[in-house]
Amino acid sequence: MTKAAIRAEASLLFAAFQAAGAVAVEADLLLPAETLLDLYGEDIRARAYVTTDPLRGEMMLRPDFTVPVVQAHMADGADPARYCYMGEVFRKQEHLGNRASEYLQVGFEVFDRDAPEAADAEVFALFAGLVSGLGLRAVTGDIGILMAAVRGLETTERRRAALLRHIWRPRRFRALLDRFAGRAAVPAGRVALLERLAGGAPDELIAAAGAFIGLRAPEDIAERAQALIEDAEAAPIKAPEAALLYDLLGLQAPAQAALGHLRGITPLLPAIAPAVDRFAARLEALRARGVAVETLAFEASLGRTSMEYYDGFVFSFHADAADMPAVATGGRYDALTAVLGAGRSIPAVGGIIRPHLVAALRGAI
């Protein structure tokens, strides 16, 4: 009876997405692991169920729908397009609790290059209407602003790349920023390695190490050692720049007030100007759809522990229960379409709703 109630709730949400103009699509349960590993690295293994097929190689049980939907659209989809889907997804959980490892997901995706901010507002307003009456708290963010700030730092390309790579790993990102800004000591192991490298060229140390064992070629190791030397010689990120980035990481305010704050720091961090302009346009589009942006919560770091394809607007809807995951989440993933589009790309935004949580809040299960 419980699954039937969840399926009934999912069907209602699915029908609402179709009524909003979305075309229903399906996705395989088993997906090639190679694509997901290329996108997210080995970290995805900790969250996905992996198996091996004798003909197709390494496969994963579907961790979400966005990647296969983007692949299908980039292969032969119309432009613009709206899609919706309903089906099970699978995520490993590290601790016992009420976070399911298998659950139904209902989603809605918009591919539209003409008015991205209007599409953001369309998706958010649609989701807000579908979960209204459940007493949820809506939160929005914009990872694009943080990414723009990192790209604008006056530091080495390697350091910018490292920070961008770890945007979705807040602890690692903060540790790197602390070190690059001179606020944290260099790890002892790295200090010892640098001392050894100071006593001889990398290729000399590799030759002295004995038999070569491993997948990396000696040239790869030497290149990495040289990168460590160059990083050690790089000047720290300037204190004013670092302070602005720390400020941005902690920014939490109503969306309209957050825009005012961002406008205020833009002259000091001009790289964020285009992203802030997009944020302003989005707020106007949200206001046009009846969203009270004066009270809508904004957190600059929202979405940094989600799947690693969001690169702009993000949103989530939360219940008061501390141990309940977000009832609905979504965001913009323009870069993902370029990665999967073989040279083509299109602005895209979407989100998902967890019908089992909706059903629980309605008292149906």
Side-chain angles (χ1 to χ4, degrees):
M1 188 66 180
T2 298
K3 284 194 173 182
I6 295 171
R7 178 68 64 172
E9 189 66 55
S11 297
L12 291 174
L13 295 168
F14 189 59
F17 287 147
Q18 289 180 293
V23 174
V25 294
E26 298 281 350
D28 292 339
L29 275 176
L30 278 175
L31 302 175
E34 182 180 6
T35 300
L36 294 164
L37 289 170
D38 286 345
L39 285 170
Y40 311 123
E42 290 294 325
D43 287 356
I44 190 67
R45 291 185 187 278
R47 290 173 283 169
Y49 291 93
V50 183
T51 187
T52 302
D53 183 273
L55 298 178
R56 302 171 67 190
E58 198 169 41
M59 307 292 289
M60 286 185 182
L61 278 175
R62 184 172 61 207
D64 81 339
F65 277 86
T66 302
V67 169
V69 169
V70 170
Q71 286 179 308
H73 176 80
M74 299 312 292
D76 55 11
D79 183 1
R82 283 159 176 75
Y83 303 110
C84 62
Y85 47 82
M86 176 176 69
E88 288 81 6
V89 295
F90 305 85
R91 303 273 184 87
K92 289 181 183 176
Q93 303 299 333
E94 296 180 353
H95 307 287
L96 293 175
N98 69 346
R99 289 179 178 262
S101 56
E102 174 188 352
Y103 55 92
L104 266 179
Q105 199 177 76
V106 185
F108 179 79
E109 313 288 342
V110 176
F111 296 79
D112 190 340
R113 69 179 72 254
D114 291 333
E117 288 75 29
D120 291 344
E122 174 192 348
V123 172
F124 179 85
L126 175 60
F127 276 59
L130 290 175
V131 300
S132 64
L134 298 179
L136 303 181
R137 180 175 63 93
V139 187
T140 61
D142 193 331
I143 293 178
I145 297 173
L146 180 57
M147 296 175 79
V150 170
R151 291 190 178 104
L153 290 173
E154 291 185 27
T155 188
T156 66
E157 182 57 37
R158 279 197 178 95
R159 287 186 168 184
R160 285 193 292 268
L163 289 169
L164 287 170
R165 187 167 60 253
H166 292 289
I167 284 268
W168 295 273
R169 302 173 183 87
R171 287 187 180 179
R172 178 61 175 158
F173 181 92
R174 185 62 179 249
L176 285 173
L177 180 57
D178 287 346
R179 181 157 61 82
F180 295 162
R183 298 190 179 193
V186 178
R190 178 169 293 203
V191 171
L193 178 58
L194 288 169
E195 289 175 349
R196 291 188 64 195
L197 290 171
D203 54 350
E204 294 175 0
L205 293 176
I206 294 171
F212 184 79
I213 300 174
L215 296 177
R216 290 186 179 181
E219 295 79 10
D220 297 330
I221 299 173
E223 182 180 351
R224 174 59 178 160
Q226 187 60 41
L228 292 175
I229 294 171
E230 292 175 4
D231 184 74
E233 295 172 348
I237 294 173
K238 295 177 181 178
E241 276 194 327
L244 288 170
L245 195 49
Y246 284 113
D247 174 80
L248 185 56
L249 287 169
L251 176 58
Q252 297 184 20
Q256 191 64 48
L259 175 61
H261 181 82
L262 291 168
R263 291 288 196 207
I265 68 173
T266 297
L268 303 174
L269 200 59
I272 69 173
V276 174
D277 288 342
R278 289 191 292 271
F279 178 34
R282 184 182 307 119
L283 292 191
E284 287 303 313
L286 287 167
R287 185 181 284 109
R289 287 185 173 271
V291 178
V293 297
E294 292 77 16
T295 57
L296 178 64
F298 176 86
E299 297 178 5
S301 287
L302 182 70
R304 292 178 60 212
T305 57
S306 304
M307 297 295 280
E308 298 175 15
Y309 44 66
Y310 292 135
D311 56 9
F313 174 58
V314 287
F315 65 86
S316 57
F317 291 86
H318 302 266
D320 289 335
D323 61 342
M324 180 180 285
V327 177
T329 61
R332 177 159 292 282
Y333 49 89
D334 295 350
L336 181 64
T337 70
V339 172
L340 299 176
R344 298 171 54 244
S345 65
I346 180 173
V349 62
I352 62 94
I353 300 178
R354 296 176 170 90
H356 65 288
L357 299 181
V358 175
L361 290 169
R362 294 196 195 284
I365 58 175

